[in-house]
mmCIF file of all heavy atoms in Angstrom:
data_model
loop_
_atom_site.group_PDB
_atom_site.id
_atom_site.type_symbol
_atom_site.label_atom_id
_atom_site.label_comp_id
_atom_site.label_asym_id
_atom_site.label_seq_id
_atom_site.Cartn_x
_atom_site.Cartn_y
_atom_site.Cartn_z
ATOM 1 N N ARG A 265 -45.274 -33.204 -37.542
ATOM 2 C CA ARG A 265 -46.054 -33.060 -36.312
ATOM 3 C C ARG A 265 -45.527 -31.908 -35.460
ATOM 4 O O ARG A 265 -46.297 -31.141 -34.884
ATOM 5 C CB ARG A 265 -46.002 -34.370 -35.519
ATOM 6 C CG ARG A 265 -46.809 -34.331 -34.215
ATOM 7 C CD ARG A 265 -46.802 -35.671 -33.514
ATOM 8 N NE ARG A 265 -45.479 -36.087 -33.068
ATOM 9 C CZ ARG A 265 -44.796 -37.096 -33.586
ATOM 10 N NH1 ARG A 265 -45.288 -37.802 -34.579
ATOM 11 N NH2 ARG A 265 -43.593 -37.410 -33.120
ATOM 12 N N MET A 266 -44.202 -31.761 -35.396
ATOM 13 C CA MET A 266 -43.622 -30.717 -34.556
ATOM 14 C C MET A 266 -43.723 -29.334 -35.190
ATOM 15 O O MET A 266 -43.776 -28.322 -34.494
ATOM 16 C CB MET A 266 -42.168 -31.078 -34.223
ATOM 17 C CG MET A 266 -42.060 -32.236 -33.236
ATOM 18 S SD MET A 266 -40.360 -32.654 -32.771
ATOM 19 C CE MET A 266 -39.920 -33.819 -34.069
ATOM 20 N N ILE A 267 -43.766 -29.301 -36.527
ATOM 21 C CA ILE A 267 -43.908 -28.027 -37.223
ATOM 22 C C ILE A 267 -45.356 -27.538 -37.196
ATOM 23 O O ILE A 267 -45.622 -26.337 -37.091
ATOM 24 C CB ILE A 267 -43.418 -28.162 -38.681
ATOM 25 C CG1 ILE A 267 -41.900 -28.349 -38.719
ATOM 26 C CG2 ILE A 267 -43.816 -26.939 -39.511
ATOM 27 C CD1 ILE A 267 -41.352 -28.681 -40.094
ATOM 28 N N GLU A 268 -46.301 -28.467 -37.293
ATOM 29 C CA GLU A 268 -47.719 -28.113 -37.363
ATOM 30 C C GLU A 268 -48.131 -27.225 -36.185
ATOM 31 O O GLU A 268 -47.866 -27.524 -35.018
ATOM 32 C CB GLU A 268 -48.574 -29.384 -37.358
ATOM 33 C CG GLU A 268 -50.061 -29.123 -37.484
ATOM 34 C CD GLU A 268 -50.887 -30.394 -37.389
ATOM 35 O OE1 GLU A 268 -50.294 -31.470 -37.153
ATOM 36 O OE2 GLU A 268 -52.101 -30.313 -37.553
ATOM 37 N N ASP A 269 -48.766 -26.102 -36.520
ATOM 38 C CA ASP A 269 -49.253 -25.158 -35.497
ATOM 39 C C ASP A 269 -48.158 -24.735 -34.521
ATOM 40 O O ASP A 269 -48.417 -24.468 -33.348
ATOM 41 C CB ASP A 269 -50.434 -25.756 -34.723
ATOM 42 C CG ASP A 269 -51.643 -26.027 -35.596
ATOM 43 O OD1 ASP A 269 -51.806 -25.297 -36.599
ATOM 44 O OD2 ASP A 269 -52.405 -26.950 -35.293
ATOM 45 N N ARG A 270 -46.906 -24.721 -34.996
ATOM 46 C CA ARG A 270 -45.765 -24.294 -34.182
ATOM 47 C C ARG A 270 -45.652 -25.096 -32.886
ATOM 48 O O ARG A 270 -45.248 -24.592 -31.846
ATOM 49 C CB ARG A 270 -45.877 -22.797 -33.854
ATOM 50 C CG ARG A 270 -45.863 -21.913 -35.076
ATOM 51 C CD ARG A 270 -46.021 -20.441 -34.745
ATOM 52 N NE ARG A 270 -47.322 -20.167 -34.167
ATOM 53 C CZ ARG A 270 -47.495 -19.808 -32.896
ATOM 54 N NH1 ARG A 270 -46.480 -19.682 -32.076
ATOM 55 N NH2 ARG A 270 -48.705 -19.559 -32.448
ATOM 56 N N ARG A 271 -45.984 -26.378 -32.963
ATOM 57 C CA ARG A 271 -45.991 -27.196 -31.741
ATOM 58 C C ARG A 271 -44.609 -27.324 -31.111
ATOM 59 O O ARG A 271 -44.503 -27.558 -29.902
ATOM 60 C CB ARG A 271 -46.560 -28.584 -32.056
ATOM 61 C CG ARG A 271 -48.056 -28.548 -32.345
ATOM 62 C CD ARG A 271 -48.599 -29.930 -32.595
ATOM 63 N NE ARG A 271 -50.011 -29.898 -32.932
ATOM 64 C CZ ARG A 271 -50.722 -30.971 -33.243
ATOM 65 N NH1 ARG A 271 -50.146 -32.162 -33.256
ATOM 66 N NH2 ARG A 271 -51.996 -30.869 -33.537
ATOM 67 N N ALA A 272 -43.565 -27.205 -31.918
ATOM 68 C CA ALA A 272 -42.214 -27.261 -31.344
ATOM 69 C C ALA A 272 -42.002 -26.138 -30.343
ATOM 70 O O ALA A 272 -41.208 -26.276 -29.407
ATOM 71 C CB ALA A 272 -41.163 -27.180 -32.453
ATOM 72 N N ASN A 273 -42.713 -25.037 -30.511
ATOM 73 C CA ASN A 273 -42.649 -23.934 -29.549
ATOM 74 C C ASN A 273 -43.681 -24.102 -28.443
ATOM 75 O O ASN A 273 -43.373 -23.993 -27.256
ATOM 76 C CB ASN A 273 -42.882 -22.595 -30.252
ATOM 77 C CG ASN A 273 -41.883 -22.322 -31.350
ATOM 78 O OD1 ASN A 273 -40.752 -22.780 -31.296
ATOM 79 N ND2 ASN A 273 -42.293 -21.584 -32.354
ATOM 80 N N VAL A 274 -44.921 -24.386 -28.851
ATOM 81 C CA VAL A 274 -46.037 -24.419 -27.906
ATOM 82 C C VAL A 274 -45.912 -25.556 -26.902
ATOM 83 O O VAL A 274 -46.269 -25.410 -25.730
ATOM 84 C CB VAL A 274 -47.370 -24.532 -28.677
ATOM 85 C CG1 VAL A 274 -48.544 -24.676 -27.714
ATOM 86 C CG2 VAL A 274 -47.572 -23.322 -29.586
ATOM 87 N N ARG A 275 -45.385 -26.691 -27.345
ATOM 88 C CA ARG A 275 -45.307 -27.882 -26.493
ATOM 89 C C ARG A 275 -44.030 -27.945 -25.650
ATOM 90 O O ARG A 275 -43.799 -28.921 -24.948
ATOM 91 C CB ARG A 275 -45.388 -29.135 -27.365
ATOM 92 C CG ARG A 275 -46.765 -29.363 -27.970
ATOM 93 C CD ARG A 275 -47.714 -29.871 -26.920
ATOM 94 N NE ARG A 275 -48.985 -30.277 -27.482
ATOM 95 C CZ ARG A 275 -49.901 -30.987 -26.824
ATOM 96 N NH1 ARG A 275 -49.660 -31.376 -25.590
ATOM 97 N NH2 ARG A 275 -51.028 -31.311 -27.393
ATOM 98 N N ARG A 276 -43.242 -26.926 -25.718
ATOM 99 C CA ARG A 276 -41.989 -26.895 -24.972
ATOM 100 C C ARG A 276 -42.250 -26.842 -23.463
ATOM 101 O O ARG A 276 -43.144 -26.132 -23.000
ATOM 102 C CB ARG A 276 -41.216 -25.658 -25.410
ATOM 103 C CG ARG A 276 -39.832 -25.547 -24.909
ATOM 104 C CD ARG A 276 -39.186 -24.309 -25.510
ATOM 105 N NE ARG A 276 -37.756 -24.421 -25.557
ATOM 106 C CZ ARG A 276 -36.971 -23.557 -26.183
ATOM 107 N NH1 ARG A 276 -37.500 -22.537 -26.830
ATOM 108 N NH2 ARG A 276 -35.676 -23.728 -26.178
ATOM 109 N N VAL A 277 -41.469 -27.584 -22.681
ATOM 110 C CA VAL A 277 -41.598 -27.583 -21.224
ATOM 111 C C VAL A 277 -40.222 -27.264 -20.632
ATOM 112 O O VAL A 277 -39.499 -28.165 -20.191
ATOM 113 C CB VAL A 277 -42.116 -28.937 -20.683
ATOM 114 C CG1 VAL A 277 -42.378 -28.841 -19.173
ATOM 115 C CG2 VAL A 277 -43.372 -29.369 -21.416
ATOM 116 N N PRO A 278 -39.825 -25.988 -20.615
ATOM 117 C CA PRO A 278 -38.496 -25.647 -20.090
ATOM 118 C C PRO A 278 -38.447 -25.779 -18.582
ATOM 119 O O PRO A 278 -39.449 -25.598 -17.885
ATOM 120 C CB PRO A 278 -38.305 -24.190 -20.525
ATOM 121 C CG PRO A 278 -39.706 -23.652 -20.622
ATOM 122 C CD PRO A 278 -40.558 -24.804 -21.085
ATOM 123 N N LEU A 279 -37.283 -26.092 -18.062
ATOM 124 C CA LEU A 279 -37.078 -26.170 -16.622
ATOM 125 C C LEU A 279 -36.704 -24.795 -16.081
ATOM 126 O O LEU A 279 -36.135 -23.973 -16.802
ATOM 127 C CB LEU A 279 -35.958 -27.159 -16.298
ATOM 128 C CG LEU A 279 -36.189 -28.617 -16.669
ATOM 129 C CD1 LEU A 279 -34.948 -29.432 -16.324
ATOM 130 C CD2 LEU A 279 -37.407 -29.169 -15.971
ATOM 131 N N PRO A 280 -36.989 -24.531 -14.812
ATOM 132 C CA PRO A 280 -36.520 -23.281 -14.199
ATOM 133 C C PRO A 280 -35.001 -23.189 -14.285
ATOM 134 O O PRO A 280 -34.296 -24.175 -14.077
ATOM 135 C CB PRO A 280 -36.983 -23.414 -12.739
ATOM 136 C CG PRO A 280 -38.116 -24.384 -12.777
ATOM 137 C CD PRO A 280 -37.777 -25.351 -13.878
ATOM 138 N N GLY A 281 -34.517 -22.003 -14.641
ATOM 139 C CA GLY A 281 -33.075 -21.822 -14.739
ATOM 140 C C GLY A 281 -32.502 -22.113 -16.105
ATOM 141 O O GLY A 281 -31.292 -22.062 -16.298
ATOM 142 N N ALA A 282 -33.361 -22.435 -17.100
ATOM 143 C CA ALA A 282 -32.864 -22.663 -18.458
ATOM 144 C C ALA A 282 -32.177 -21.397 -18.952
ATOM 145 O O ALA A 282 -32.596 -20.295 -18.599
ATOM 146 C CB ALA A 282 -34.020 -23.047 -19.378
ATOM 147 N N PRO A 283 -31.115 -21.482 -19.760
ATOM 148 C CA PRO A 283 -30.630 -22.669 -20.455
ATOM 149 C C PRO A 283 -29.642 -23.511 -19.667
ATOM 150 O O PRO A 283 -29.104 -24.474 -20.186
ATOM 151 C CB PRO A 283 -29.922 -22.068 -21.678
ATOM 152 C CG PRO A 283 -29.340 -20.801 -21.138
ATOM 153 C CD PRO A 283 -30.367 -20.279 -20.164
ATOM 154 N N TYR A 284 -29.386 -23.149 -18.411
ATOM 155 C CA TYR A 284 -28.344 -23.840 -17.656
ATOM 156 C C TYR A 284 -28.837 -25.159 -17.079
ATOM 157 O O TYR A 284 -28.067 -26.111 -16.951
ATOM 158 C CB TYR A 284 -27.817 -22.928 -16.556
ATOM 159 C CG TYR A 284 -27.374 -21.592 -17.107
ATOM 160 C CD1 TYR A 284 -28.141 -20.454 -16.934
ATOM 161 C CD2 TYR A 284 -26.201 -21.481 -17.855
ATOM 162 C CE1 TYR A 284 -27.749 -19.230 -17.477
ATOM 163 C CE2 TYR A 284 -25.800 -20.265 -18.395
ATOM 164 C CZ TYR A 284 -26.583 -19.146 -18.203
ATOM 165 O OH TYR A 284 -26.200 -17.956 -18.749
ATOM 166 N N ASN A 285 -30.105 -25.228 -16.716
ATOM 167 C CA ASN A 285 -30.673 -26.468 -16.207
ATOM 168 C C ASN A 285 -31.495 -27.126 -17.309
ATOM 169 O O ASN A 285 -32.634 -26.741 -17.560
ATOM 170 C CB ASN A 285 -31.581 -26.196 -14.992
ATOM 171 C CG ASN A 285 -30.811 -25.635 -13.826
ATOM 172 O OD1 ASN A 285 -29.621 -25.882 -13.693
ATOM 173 N ND2 ASN A 285 -31.474 -24.860 -12.979
ATOM 174 N N ILE A 286 -30.919 -28.092 -17.978
ATOM 175 C CA ILE A 286 -31.635 -28.756 -19.068
ATOM 176 C C ILE A 286 -32.054 -30.175 -18.702
ATOM 177 O O ILE A 286 -32.931 -30.747 -19.340
ATOM 178 C CB ILE A 286 -30.787 -28.795 -20.350
ATOM 179 C CG1 ILE A 286 -29.521 -29.612 -20.139
ATOM 180 C CG2 ILE A 286 -30.478 -27.390 -20.837
ATOM 181 C CD1 ILE A 286 -28.788 -29.932 -21.423
ATOM 182 N N LEU A 287 -31.445 -30.747 -17.665
ATOM 183 C CA LEU A 287 -31.760 -32.105 -17.243
ATOM 184 C C LEU A 287 -32.435 -32.068 -15.880
ATOM 185 O O LEU A 287 -31.915 -31.485 -14.939
ATOM 186 C CB LEU A 287 -30.495 -32.961 -17.183
ATOM 187 C CG LEU A 287 -29.704 -33.074 -18.493
ATOM 188 C CD1 LEU A 287 -28.452 -33.911 -18.285
ATOM 189 C CD2 LEU A 287 -30.563 -33.665 -19.599
ATOM 190 N N GLU A 288 -33.573 -32.686 -15.796
ATOM 191 C CA GLU A 288 -34.368 -32.597 -14.575
ATOM 192 C C GLU A 288 -33.802 -33.469 -13.457
ATOM 193 O O GLU A 288 -33.308 -34.578 -13.687
ATOM 194 C CB GLU A 288 -35.815 -33.011 -14.868
ATOM 195 C CG GLU A 288 -36.738 -32.854 -13.691
ATOM 196 C CD GLU A 288 -38.175 -32.651 -14.094
ATOM 197 O OE1 GLU A 288 -38.464 -32.630 -15.295
ATOM 198 O OE2 GLU A 288 -39.023 -32.532 -13.188
ATOM 199 N N ASP A 289 -33.892 -32.960 -12.234
ATOM 200 C CA ASP A 289 -33.554 -33.729 -11.045
ATOM 201 C C ASP A 289 -34.800 -34.523 -10.660
ATOM 202 O O ASP A 289 -35.804 -33.963 -10.230
ATOM 203 C CB ASP A 289 -33.147 -32.786 -9.911
ATOM 204 C CG ASP A 289 -32.758 -33.542 -8.639
ATOM 205 O OD1 ASP A 289 -32.992 -34.766 -8.572
ATOM 206 O OD2 ASP A 289 -32.249 -32.903 -7.706
ATOM 207 N N PHE A 290 -34.748 -35.836 -10.817
ATOM 208 C CA PHE A 290 -35.932 -36.666 -10.636
ATOM 209 C C PHE A 290 -36.107 -37.184 -9.212
ATOM 210 O O PHE A 290 -37.008 -37.991 -8.970
ATOM 211 C CB PHE A 290 -35.873 -37.871 -11.592
ATOM 212 C CG PHE A 290 -36.147 -37.524 -13.021
ATOM 213 C CD1 PHE A 290 -35.202 -37.793 -13.996
ATOM 214 C CD2 PHE A 290 -37.344 -36.947 -13.401
ATOM 215 C CE1 PHE A 290 -35.446 -37.487 -15.317
ATOM 216 C CE2 PHE A 290 -37.597 -36.640 -14.721
ATOM 217 C CZ PHE A 290 -36.643 -36.903 -15.685
ATOM 218 N N ASP A 291 -35.283 -36.768 -8.282
ATOM 219 C CA ASP A 291 -35.316 -37.354 -6.940
ATOM 220 C C ASP A 291 -36.720 -37.340 -6.335
ATOM 221 O O ASP A 291 -37.218 -38.370 -5.867
ATOM 222 C CB ASP A 291 -34.343 -36.628 -6.014
ATOM 223 C CG ASP A 291 -32.896 -36.994 -6.293
ATOM 224 O OD1 ASP A 291 -32.675 -37.927 -7.089
ATOM 225 O OD2 ASP A 291 -32.003 -36.342 -5.735
ATOM 226 N N PHE A 292 -37.363 -36.173 -6.325
ATOM 227 C CA PHE A 292 -38.676 -36.074 -5.689
ATOM 228 C C PHE A 292 -39.726 -36.865 -6.465
ATOM 229 O O PHE A 292 -40.531 -37.597 -5.881
ATOM 230 C CB PHE A 292 -39.106 -34.615 -5.573
ATOM 231 C CG PHE A 292 -40.449 -34.439 -4.912
ATOM 232 C CD1 PHE A 292 -40.583 -34.594 -3.542
ATOM 233 C CD2 PHE A 292 -41.573 -34.151 -5.663
ATOM 234 C CE1 PHE A 292 -41.832 -34.456 -2.920
ATOM 235 C CE2 PHE A 292 -42.819 -34.007 -5.057
ATOM 236 C CZ PHE A 292 -42.944 -34.158 -3.688
ATOM 237 N N SER A 293 -39.719 -36.737 -7.787
ATOM 238 C CA SER A 293 -40.723 -37.416 -8.611
ATOM 239 C C SER A 293 -40.595 -38.932 -8.506
ATOM 240 O O SER A 293 -41.601 -39.645 -8.382
ATOM 241 C CB SER A 293 -40.589 -36.982 -10.069
ATOM 242 O OG SER A 293 -40.763 -35.593 -10.207
ATOM 243 N N LEU A 294 -39.368 -39.435 -8.563
ATOM 244 C CA LEU A 294 -39.181 -40.883 -8.454
ATOM 245 C C LEU A 294 -39.548 -41.385 -7.062
ATOM 246 O O LEU A 294 -40.108 -42.474 -6.912
ATOM 247 C CB LEU A 294 -37.733 -41.255 -8.784
ATOM 248 C CG LEU A 294 -37.271 -40.985 -10.226
ATOM 249 C CD1 LEU A 294 -35.827 -41.446 -10.410
ATOM 250 C CD2 LEU A 294 -38.183 -41.658 -11.239
ATOM 251 N N SER A 295 -39.242 -40.589 -6.031
ATOM 252 C CA SER A 295 -39.624 -40.974 -4.669
ATOM 253 C C SER A 295 -41.144 -41.030 -4.532
ATOM 254 O O SER A 295 -41.692 -41.925 -3.876
ATOM 255 C CB SER A 295 -39.051 -39.969 -3.664
ATOM 256 O OG SER A 295 -37.646 -40.001 -3.665
ATOM 257 N N TYR A 296 -41.822 -40.066 -5.166
ATOM 258 C CA TYR A 296 -43.297 -40.031 -5.139
ATOM 259 C C TYR A 296 -43.864 -41.305 -5.762
ATOM 260 O O TYR A 296 -44.759 -41.946 -5.194
ATOM 261 C CB TYR A 296 -43.776 -38.797 -5.894
ATOM 262 C CG TYR A 296 -45.276 -38.667 -6.002
ATOM 263 C CD1 TYR A 296 -46.017 -38.050 -4.995
ATOM 264 C CD2 TYR A 296 -45.956 -39.159 -7.113
ATOM 265 C CE1 TYR A 296 -47.399 -37.924 -5.094
ATOM 266 C CE2 TYR A 296 -47.334 -39.040 -7.220
ATOM 267 C CZ TYR A 296 -48.046 -38.424 -6.215
ATOM 268 O OH TYR A 296 -49.410 -38.313 -6.316
ATOM 269 N N LEU A 297 -43.340 -41.702 -6.920
ATOM 270 C CA LEU A 297 -43.835 -42.895 -7.598
ATOM 271 C C LEU A 297 -43.454 -44.158 -6.840
ATOM 272 O O LEU A 297 -44.239 -45.113 -6.775
ATOM 273 C CB LEU A 297 -43.279 -42.940 -9.023
ATOM 274 C CG LEU A 297 -43.766 -41.836 -9.965
ATOM 275 C CD1 LEU A 297 -42.996 -41.877 -11.283
ATOM 276 C CD2 LEU A 297 -45.262 -41.956 -10.216
ATOM 277 N N THR A 298 -42.269 -44.163 -6.253
ATOM 278 C CA THR A 298 -41.832 -45.323 -5.478
ATOM 279 C C THR A 298 -42.705 -45.523 -4.248
ATOM 280 O O THR A 298 -43.054 -46.659 -3.888
ATOM 281 C CB THR A 298 -40.361 -45.156 -5.062
ATOM 282 O OG1 THR A 298 -39.547 -45.044 -6.225
ATOM 283 C CG2 THR A 298 -39.887 -46.347 -4.239
ATOM 284 N N SER A 299 -43.073 -44.426 -3.596
ATOM 285 C CA SER A 299 -43.897 -44.521 -2.379
ATOM 286 C C SER A 299 -45.281 -45.083 -2.663
ATOM 287 O O SER A 299 -45.970 -45.539 -1.746
ATOM 288 C CB SER A 299 -44.024 -43.143 -1.722
ATOM 289 O OG SER A 299 -44.823 -42.274 -2.510
ATOM 290 N N ARG A 300 -45.689 -45.043 -3.917
ATOM 291 C CA ARG A 300 -46.999 -45.565 -4.310
ATOM 292 C C ARG A 300 -46.885 -46.911 -5.032
ATOM 293 O O ARG A 300 -47.832 -47.366 -5.687
ATOM 294 C CB ARG A 300 -47.732 -44.542 -5.177
ATOM 295 C CG ARG A 300 -48.286 -43.400 -4.319
ATOM 296 C CD ARG A 300 -48.408 -42.098 -5.068
ATOM 297 N NE ARG A 300 -48.961 -41.076 -4.166
ATOM 298 C CZ ARG A 300 -48.252 -40.430 -3.261
ATOM 299 N NH1 ARG A 300 -46.966 -40.697 -3.113
ATOM 300 N NH2 ARG A 300 -48.820 -39.521 -2.481
ATOM 301 N N ALA A 301 -45.708 -47.519 -4.925
ATOM 302 C CA ALA A 301 -45.455 -48.859 -5.477
ATOM 303 C C ALA A 301 -45.628 -48.906 -6.996
ATOM 304 O O ALA A 301 -45.881 -49.980 -7.553
ATOM 305 C CB ALA A 301 -46.352 -49.899 -4.806
ATOM 306 N N LEU A 302 -45.488 -47.757 -7.651
ATOM 307 C CA LEU A 302 -45.569 -47.717 -9.107
ATOM 308 C C LEU A 302 -44.199 -47.884 -9.744
ATOM 309 O O LEU A 302 -44.089 -48.185 -10.931
ATOM 310 C CB LEU A 302 -46.183 -46.388 -9.567
ATOM 311 C CG LEU A 302 -47.563 -46.048 -8.988
ATOM 312 C CD1 LEU A 302 -48.024 -44.684 -9.488
ATOM 313 C CD2 LEU A 302 -48.576 -47.128 -9.363
ATOM 314 N N LEU A 303 -43.178 -47.703 -8.938
ATOM 315 C CA LEU A 303 -41.807 -47.700 -9.425
ATOM 316 C C LEU A 303 -40.899 -48.344 -8.386
ATOM 317 O O LEU A 303 -41.129 -48.215 -7.192
ATOM 318 C CB LEU A 303 -41.369 -46.247 -9.653
ATOM 319 C CG LEU A 303 -40.035 -46.005 -10.355
ATOM 320 C CD1 LEU A 303 -40.187 -46.221 -11.858
ATOM 321 C CD2 LEU A 303 -39.577 -44.567 -10.103
ATOM 322 N N THR A 304 -39.887 -49.051 -8.862
ATOM 323 C CA THR A 304 -38.838 -49.560 -7.988
ATOM 324 C C THR A 304 -37.530 -48.924 -8.433
ATOM 325 O O THR A 304 -37.147 -49.037 -9.596
ATOM 326 C CB THR A 304 -38.718 -51.093 -8.071
ATOM 327 O OG1 THR A 304 -39.967 -51.677 -7.711
ATOM 328 C CG2 THR A 304 -37.654 -51.601 -7.112
ATOM 329 N N ASP A 305 -36.878 -48.241 -7.529
ATOM 330 C CA ASP A 305 -35.621 -47.552 -7.827
ATOM 331 C C ASP A 305 -34.511 -48.274 -7.086
ATOM 332 O O ASP A 305 -34.500 -48.312 -5.858
ATOM 333 C CB ASP A 305 -35.730 -46.092 -7.370
ATOM 334 C CG ASP A 305 -34.559 -45.255 -7.836
ATOM 335 O OD1 ASP A 305 -33.753 -45.760 -8.629
ATOM 336 O OD2 ASP A 305 -34.453 -44.103 -7.398
ATOM 337 N N ARG A 306 -33.583 -48.842 -7.814
ATOM 338 C CA ARG A 306 -32.531 -49.663 -7.210
ATOM 339 C C ARG A 306 -31.174 -49.006 -7.449
ATOM 340 O O ARG A 306 -30.556 -49.213 -8.502
ATOM 341 C CB ARG A 306 -32.544 -51.063 -7.809
ATOM 342 C CG ARG A 306 -33.920 -51.739 -7.681
ATOM 343 C CD ARG A 306 -34.030 -52.973 -8.533
ATOM 344 N NE ARG A 306 -35.396 -53.475 -8.536
ATOM 345 C CZ ARG A 306 -35.845 -54.421 -9.353
ATOM 346 N NH1 ARG A 306 -35.014 -54.965 -10.233
ATOM 347 N NH2 ARG A 306 -37.097 -54.811 -9.309
ATOM 348 N N PRO A 307 -30.694 -48.201 -6.517
ATOM 349 C CA PRO A 307 -29.415 -47.490 -6.718
ATOM 350 C C PRO A 307 -28.256 -48.441 -6.923
ATOM 351 O O PRO A 307 -28.237 -49.563 -6.421
ATOM 352 C CB PRO A 307 -29.260 -46.695 -5.414
ATOM 353 C CG PRO A 307 -30.630 -46.644 -4.822
ATOM 354 C CD PRO A 307 -31.313 -47.906 -5.242
ATOM 355 N N SER A 308 -27.274 -47.934 -7.644
ATOM 356 C CA SER A 308 -26.077 -48.741 -7.898
ATOM 357 C C SER A 308 -24.989 -48.463 -6.870
ATOM 358 O O SER A 308 -23.944 -49.097 -6.891
ATOM 359 C CB SER A 308 -25.529 -48.421 -9.289
ATOM 360 O OG SER A 308 -25.160 -47.055 -9.361
ATOM 361 N N PHE A 309 -25.216 -47.464 -5.980
ATOM 362 C CA PHE A 309 -24.259 -47.088 -4.936
ATOM 363 C C PHE A 309 -22.957 -46.536 -5.518
ATOM 364 O O PHE A 309 -21.899 -46.658 -4.927
ATOM 365 C CB PHE A 309 -23.968 -48.264 -3.999
ATOM 366 C CG PHE A 309 -25.214 -48.807 -3.355
ATOM 367 C CD1 PHE A 309 -25.768 -49.992 -3.805
ATOM 368 C CD2 PHE A 309 -25.843 -48.108 -2.345
ATOM 369 C CE1 PHE A 309 -26.934 -50.480 -3.225
ATOM 370 C CE2 PHE A 309 -27.004 -48.596 -1.758
ATOM 371 C CZ PHE A 309 -27.556 -49.784 -2.207
#
């Protein structure tokens, strides 16, 4: 599936600052989903 039609290249979603930023900061996205009661985020402190 990933080889077909070079999808491993075409379907890539790099983050700004790659290759140094490979893990996304989810703070804003999780807050957005939490504010709409789609997600509950329970920090461990």
Side-chain angles (χ1 to χ4, degrees):
R265 181 176 64 249
M266 288 182 272
I267 291 172
E268 182 184 4
D269 297 331
R270 298 178 295 111
R271 290 182 183 178
N273 301 331
V274 176
R275 290 285 188 167
R276 188 176 205 171
V277 186
L279 296 178
Y284 306 105
N285 296 333
I286 63 168
L287 302 178
E288 184 154 0
D289 181 350
F290 286 121
D291 285 351
F292 181 75
S293 300
L294 295 182
S295 295
Y296 177 87
L297 294 172
T298 300
S299 70
R300 284 152 179 80
L302 304 178
L303 189 78
T304 301
D305 189 8
R306 305 167 188 169
S308 61
F309 303 104

